[in-house]
Amino acid sequence: MFDVLVYLYETYWRPDACPDHAQLTRKLTAVGFENEEIQEALSWLQGLAAAGEAVQAEQSPHALRVYSASEIDHLGEASISFISFLESAGVLPGPMREMVIDRAMAIAGNGMELDDLKIIVLMVFWSLGEEPDALILDELFVAPEDRLIH
């Protein structure tokens, strides 16, 4: 599923640039994605759109996010730390954070991989038509061991 999401991000500038569901399914099939993977990704994207509509309420900048036990188990320490890092850097406001958490919790299995969470963060930005700044893109795409120290 994550391969489909990355492909959509790289191919379509914004979600509204994507063709309709049937045509997009045909295009993704033609590229070589499996039908089950396509349907899972498209369903996940529908949930992302719904999450975007649901979290439009303003939150206090001083609000504290408390994670439930199931969120802690599913997301894991590395993912929660990364979300906190993005929040403290001022690039992931509360409503976007909630979208990230909602979509991460929608992924089956236990124990979110940090690389998968980074794709979810990227897709949240994409769904809102926002481009993360260069430093955040570096955090999302470049492995720590490949970074150059200046």
Side-chain angles (χ1 to χ4, degrees):
M1 178 189 81
F2 287 104
D3 291 335
V4 174
L5 296 177
V6 170
Y7 177 83
L8 292 174
Y9 178 83
E10 291 175 344
T11 306
Y12 300 100
W13 177 247
R14 296 174 47 106
D16 56 2
C18 290
D20 65 58
H21 190 278
Q23 186 178 5
L24 183 58
T25 300
R26 284 192 301 277
K27 284 186 175 203
L28 292 170
T29 301
V31 172
F33 292 109
E34 298 292 327
N35 188 51
E36 182 178 324
E37 188 177 26
I38 294 167
Q39 295 311 313
E40 185 180 359
L42 294 179
S43 175
W44 187 89
L45 285 171
Q46 287 176 335
L48 178 59
E53 293 171 8
V55 296
Q56 294 304 319
E58 276 298 310
Q59 294 181 356
S60 168
H62 305 293
L64 176 66
R65 176 60 155 90
V66 178
Y67 291 88
S68 70
S70 63
E71 289 171 335
I72 292 169
D73 287 343
H74 186 73
L75 296 172
E77 183 179 331
S79 293
I80 292 173
S81 294
F82 187 71
I83 292 169
S84 296
F85 161 73
L86 293 176
E87 282 185 280
S88 67
V91 297
L92 191 67
M96 288 177 73
R97 176 200 61 222
E98 293 306 311
M99 290 175 67
V100 168
I101 294 168
D102 175 77
R103 294 292 74 211
M105 295 300 290
I107 303 297
N110 201 13
M112 173 67 50
E113 294 290 328
L114 183 57
D115 288 341
D116 293 343
L117 180 83
K118 289 178 177 183
I119 293 169
I120 292 170
V121 170
L122 189 64
M123 295 308 293
V124 167
F125 276 96
W126 180 77
S127 74
L128 298 172
E130 296 184 25
E131 182 72 23
D133 67 32
L135 293 175
I136 297 307
L137 283 174
D138 187 52
E139 284 294 327
L140 294 172
F141 286 117
V142 180
E145 63 271 8
D146 294 337
R147 289 199 178 99
L148 294 175
I149 299 175
H150 299 279

